[in-house]
Each structure stands twice: as C-alpha cells, then as structure tokens.
Amino acid sequence: MYTQGLDSLGADCLHQATDAVTLEQRFQSKVDADDRIEPKDWMPDAYRQTLIRQISQHAHSEIVGMLPEGNWITRAPSLRRKAVLIAKVQDEGGHGMYLYSAAETLGISRDELLEQLLAGTAKYSSIFNYPTPTWADVGAIGWLVDGAAIMNQIPICRCSYGPYARAMVRICKEESFHQRQGFEIMMTLARGTPEQHRMAQDALNRWWWPSIMMFGPNDAASKHTAQSMRWKIKRFSNDELRQKFIDITVPQAEFLGLKVPDPDLRWDEATQHYVHGPIDWKEFEEVLKGNGPCNRERLETRRRAHEDGRWVREAALAHAEKQRARETQAA
Amino acid sequence: MSAAAETVLSASADLRFRYAVHLGDTSLILAQRLGEWVGHAPALEEDLALANISLDLLGQARYLLSYAGEIEGKGRTEDDLAFLRDPSDFTNLALVEQPNVDFGHTLVRQFLIDAWQLELFECLQGSSEPRFAELAAKALKETRYHYRFSSGWMVRLGDGTEESHKRVQAGLDALWKFTSEFFAPGAVDEEAAAAGLGPDPASLRAAWAANVEQVLTEATLKKPADVSYRWYGKRNQHSEHLSRLLAEMQFMQRTYPGVQW
C-alpha cells in the first residue's frame, strides 16, 4: 500500500527533494486545516510508522485486555453480571478487530501485527499486566481503566488519520457503556456488606496507580508527544489527560465512599485541580519491560491460544482451498 | 395462585417449574462451558462467535429460570436457582456439561445440541404455555445462527486437513453416546409432552438425525454406532464434570450468601 501510494504520485516526486518538501508541506497544511488524511493520501513515512505503532498497540491492548476480565466470566456472581461481562469482553474483541482493520489501511497485515505481539516486540497497555484476584477488580477495571481509556480516546475521535478517528467513534460509544457498568459494580459493592466494601476498596488500592500510569510518561519524558501533536494524532499531552482523569475520578471515589490511595492528594483552589503524589515510574518501567505481575502469563496465554488454534486455522484454509478447486472444476 | 399459573390448567405448576428448569439448566451449563473459551479461541472471529453463542444461551437460561422461580412462588430468583442448587438438583442434558477439550470437541458438542435445539424450539413454539412458546420463538432465531456456525465448522474441520478430520472425528466418537439422552424418556419431558407443554422427546429424533447425517456426509465424517448409555442428566445422573463446573460457577454466591451483586 505504501509503495502504491507513492507510485500513484508519479516517479518525478521521488527524484527531487524539492517535490518531497512540497508533499510534506501540503500534508501538514491539510493537517493544520483539520482535514482528514485517508489511506491513499501521501503521508510522511514517520507519520505512517507512528500510526502503525499506536493503532496496533491499541489493538493489542484490546485483545490482551480480554484476559484479565475474561478471568471472571465463569465466576461472575450473578447471571446478569455474567451476561454483561461476556458482552463486554466480546465488545473488546470487536474493538481489536476495528483497530487491526484501521492499521491494515496503513499497509501492514493483521498477521504481521499479531506476530509482533506474540514475539513480544509489540507493546500493549501496561495496565493489562495486573491481575484480577477478586470480583471487585472487574468493577475497578470498568470504572478506572475504561474511564482512563475513554479520556485517552475521545480526542482520538478527531485524530488526523480518518480510519483511526472513525474506529474510535464507534469504540468510545461502547467504552462509555462499559465504564458505567463498572461504576455500577463498584457502587453495589461499596454500598453492600462490609466484606463487599472492603473488596471494593482493595480493588481501588490496587488499580488506582496503574490507571494513572495508563496516560504514559510525564510530558518531559514523552519522546513522541511533540511530533504527534503537530500531526494531530494526539490532541492533548499525557499530563493534561492524566490531570483531567484525576479531576473527574476523585469525586466519583468520594461518592462511592472509597479512599483514593494517595496520601498527598489534595484539591488546589488556585489551579482548580487536584494535586497528586509522585508516580512510581520505576514500577511503570518494569511493567513496560516485561517484569510486571502478569506480563509473562498474558503473553503465554495468547501464544497458547494461537498455537492450540493453528490446526483450526489450517483446516479452514485447506477447506476453502478445496471448495475453490471444486468450484473451478464444476465451472 | 398467580395469574400466570391460571393460564395453563392442564399442567401443574410443579411440572412447569421442572420443565423450565430442565430446559434452562441445559442452556445455562452450555453457556458456562462456552464462557471458558473467551480470550482463548483459535482466532479473534471465533472468540467473538463463541462469546455470542454463550450470551444467547445465557439469555435463554435467565428467561427460563426466572420463569421457573415465578411459577414456584417461593421467591427464588434466577440466581438462587443457578447458584444455590446442588449438582444433583440440576437436570441439564449430560452432553452440555462435557469439557471443552479442544475446538473440535467443543464444535461437535455445539453442533449436536444445536441440531437438537432447532427441533425442540420449533415444536416448543406450539406449547400450551405461552411463556414457553414465547421463549421458543426467540430462541429458535438464535439457534438457527448457532447451527449455521457449528455445522459450518463441522464441514470445515471434517473436510479440512488430515489432523482436523481426525480431531473432529475423535470428538464425535467421544460425545455420540450422550445424544441418546435427547430422545430417551425422562420424567420431566414425558410429562410435559403429555400436558401439551412441549414436544415428545422421541418425536424430535427423525429430523435431528436427518440434519446431522447430511452435515456429517458433507464433512466426510463417519457417524458413530449407537451405543447403550443410560446415565442421563435429566434424570439427575451427571458425569463427574458437573460438580466441578458448579464449584467454579457458584463460589461467589456460596461464599457470600444473600447479598446483592
């Protein structure tokens, strides 16, 4: 797709640097005018690579994200909760599919992306390397993790790359439904028996900081931010989004009667924002490096599903091949 | 006596309760088995499809168990019936409690039950109890989708590679004995048939067998010989798998009884 895109512009532009500059300028002015870039449009190679990286990481996160919650499908405490949870995990698989499709418009195949994930060379959201030891974790994930995801994703609905932006519009609708469900689980627990309340508080204690880390490194340490913002792949910085999340979520925790596990957290009248304590970036780095509590298990599970399913995929291909041969013969 | 109980005079509330539980248990236990697949399927599309089928079956179970609780009139909810009954109280077909093993076994189990549910729900639409008829009309639409999925995979796997053929044939050979239960007499469905609540189980056999044979032929699979097997789930005689499945499914409600979730 990539070479095709360039070829369609004619050979001339490849030879002359001045034309390349013109292309780049034309591209940037399109972005500046809030026009959408579409798959067949010319785009800088770095823009294409950044998007492939970001969209595929996003897709992988949806797929790996099925595991921590899927962990509770067979044990959900009521049939209604079980139904909602299955529907939710199914939605996440669907989000993965939209996003792989969006990434494929950039000239990479889903199979290649999947290989990168299984080989451990592609990343996915650090949050899914945390375990779900209790039912309350399902609520906390819906409330905090989906809440943080929405905060991240709403601005992407206006991302300069059309297919990504459009995928995100559909995804955000479903995510906000998931988030409400998660909050409802937390509310039921927080207002339930003392045991349930304790379960909810314990889940908040474990998921708060990992959720805060979902926004990525501090702006000063974020190497992709400036360029991504110029290209309008990103609309707000990591710290801006993180602050927004905290400002919205702390009152929700108070409403639930739960305590945010940050002794330094306080409302600042002057800025009209919450001030939070230091983030443990060492932990964040360890999790990203593969040393989080469940990194190994998550990848192993994905690899096993892929390996165990190989004969099924091969059978489907072999059967399709046979069918084609029969049709050709019949014709 | 509630208003609903007056609508069917020919059948006792007790019979309707037991019939609803029997059908509901079968859908519930199969939904639970399919739920184990979520996140572990051979491809993303299959993950979504299995979750989808699980969700449909769970919907059927919820409808039937809620109705059963209503009929019983003791205030038991769908959750009380799902989570607080012992294995020996369950009357699901023994086939649906069988383990997933691999995608081949799972698909065989699904195909055999889908083909049976197609006939069951078709007939159940004419139930003398409107609530069963209503459930059947909805469930039949879902079952047609399930059947398309499972029969499609039977053909793909049977007529795929040598390995896939071998695996799906092994699943078929292992699970075939449980199909005799579909058509064998059992107190609940025999009584239900006599009362006009549901079909006579034996009457479903011909259409089921015709469908199954046609798909097996297309899949180049060999229909296993019928063997005698009489330990039927609908007579509360379960395999070793059910209690384990329930231990996992019920543990939250058993550990923290009587609370809202």
Side-chain angles (χ1 to χ4, degrees), chain A residues 251-273:
Chain A
Q252 292 174 350
E254 279 166 6
F255 179 79
L256 291 172
L258 298 175
K259 201 174 162 340
V260 173
D262 179 356
D264 299 328
L265 187 76
R266 60 177 176 85
W267 176 252
D268 183 51
E269 268 303 325
T271 58
Q272 293 289 298
H273 288 298

Side-chain angles (χ1 to χ4, degrees), chain A residues 268-306:
Chain A
D268 183 51
E269 268 303 325
T271 58
Q272 293 289 298
H273 288 298
Y274 282 94
V275 177
H276 62 85
I279 295 169
D280 184 353
W281 291 115
K282 196 124 197 85
E283 172 172 324
F284 182 67
E285 278 163 33
E286 286 301 323
V287 176
L288 277 193
K289 269 197 292 187
N291 302 326
C294 295
N295 295 57
R296 187 170 288 270
E297 289 88 337
R298 299 288 183 244
L299 266 192
E300 279 301 310
T301 305
R302 287 313 313 160
R303 282 190 196 122
R304 197 169 341 110
H306 191 73

Side-chain angles (χ1 to χ4, degrees), chain A residues 74 77 81-82 302 313 326, chain B residues 32 39 42 159 248 253 261:
Chain A
T74 57
R81 293 293 182 204
K82 190 193 287 287
R302 287 313 313 160
R313 297 190 301 275
R326 279 179 209 132
Chain B
Q32 178 75 3
D159 188 26
E248 183 172 342
Q253 290 260 352
W261 295 100

Side-chain angles (χ1 to χ4, degrees), chain A residues 309-324, chain B residues 42-43 46 103 152-153 155-161 164:
Chain A
R310 186 181 299 281
W311 68 274
V312 177
R313 297 190 301 275
E314 284 170 359
L317 282 176
H319 179 73
E321 208 47 62
K322 283 184 195 178
Q323 285 291 87
R324 237 190 320 271
Chain B
E46 271 48 66
F103 191 73
W153 270 109
V155 173
R156 238 171 261 139
L157 296 177
D159 188 26
T161 62
S164 70

Side-chain angles (χ1 to χ4, degrees), chain A residues 35 40 56 148 169 191 253 295 319 325-326:
Chain A
D35 276 353
K40 286 183 174 171
S56 66
V169 171
R191 296 185 177 172
N295 295 57
H319 179 73
R326 279 179 209 132

